[in-house]
Amino acid sequence: MSKCEQCIVREFSSLKALTKDELLKLSDCKTSHTIKKGEVIFEEGENVNGIYCVKDGICKLTKLSPNGKDHIVKLVTKGELLGQRSMISDEPVNLSAVALEDMEVCFIPKSEVMGYFDKNNQFSMNVMKTICGDLKEADDHMVNLAQKTVKERLAETLLYLHDTFGKNEDNSLKIQLSRDELASMIGTATESCIRLLSDFKKLGLIDLAGKKIVLKDIAKLKRIAD
């Protein structure tokens, strides 16, 4: 694993505000981990006592509902930080983080990070902006669940996966979610999600091959999503 001051992904997170000396100090206290696909990074209710910087890979943040089902709140990719809100509020994490593919993450202890809040105003502001952005996303998602149909939410989610994570050489979505995971993202039953995907295929909007999904008519999907 590279030193923090040499790591490109820091430019995508709050860490970009830290000085070279601060990054050098950070490198000395961080620990690097390889997380295998399906492994849990942390579980809801756990005391994490630090933040994770995602160097490579994608994970899902999930919330356990009263009926015992996991609901995907957000997908996190390289350059992003995990655990910022919990660290600042001094509370256990309220979401679980599970790797959707093999990942490389660095753990930075809370005792080290919190020192920068007093010394580096820009770092503090960056963290606050990130948390505010997460709250805005949560508000938008809540409104979508209340006002949009499942069909509209599925179209919107497929476009989000395409625009955010890209596609493979065969044009399939780069991030491959199970039907359960996709249903969890749009807030519906797995059976409803499977039926809608089949409908989208019949309409020529997408193509399906196992877990793989190819978006064939992005313009029509956008019209459905809006």
Side-chain angles (χ1 to χ4, degrees), residues 4 81 91 108-109 124 132-133 155 176 187 198 208 213 219:
C4 292
L81 302 179
E91 295 175 340
I108 307 165
S124 308
C132 288
Q176 292 182 19
S198 179
L208 302 171
I213 301 175

Side-chain angles (χ1 to χ4, degrees), residues 44-63:
E44 186 177 338
E46 199 177 304
N47 287 304
V48 176
N49 294 318
I51 57 172
Y52 289 90
C53 179
V54 180
K55 186 172 182 184
D56 198 21
I58 301 168
C59 71
K60 59 181 179 179
L61 293 178
T62 66
K63 180 78 177 171

Side-chain angles (χ1 to χ4, degrees), residues 55-86:
K55 186 172 182 184
D56 198 21
I58 301 168
C59 71
K60 59 181 179 179
L61 293 178
T62 66
K63 180 78 177 171
L64 195 63
S65 62
N67 65 5
K69 288 195 73 175
D70 276 330
H71 179 73
I72 296 179
V73 175
K74 187 181 180 183
L75 300 180
V76 175
T77 189
K78 65 180 180 181
E80 297 187 65
L81 302 179
L82 296 169
Q84 294 179 97
R85 185 172 56 189
S86 168

Side-chain angles (χ1 to χ4, degrees), residues 21-35:
D21 286 345
E22 288 169 336
L23 289 167
L24 284 167
K25 192 177 176 187
L26 210 62
S27 289
D28 292 335
C29 68
K30 75 175 174 70
T31 52
S32 302
H33 307 273
T34 297
I35 312 290

Side-chain angles (χ1 to χ4, degrees), residues 3 24 64 88 102 105 130 145 157 161 187 202 209 220:
K3 295 287 186 181
L24 284 167
L64 195 63
I88 293 168
D102 291 350
V105 301
T130 301
L145 286 175
T157 299
L161 296 175
K202 288 173 187 173
K220 282 187 180 178

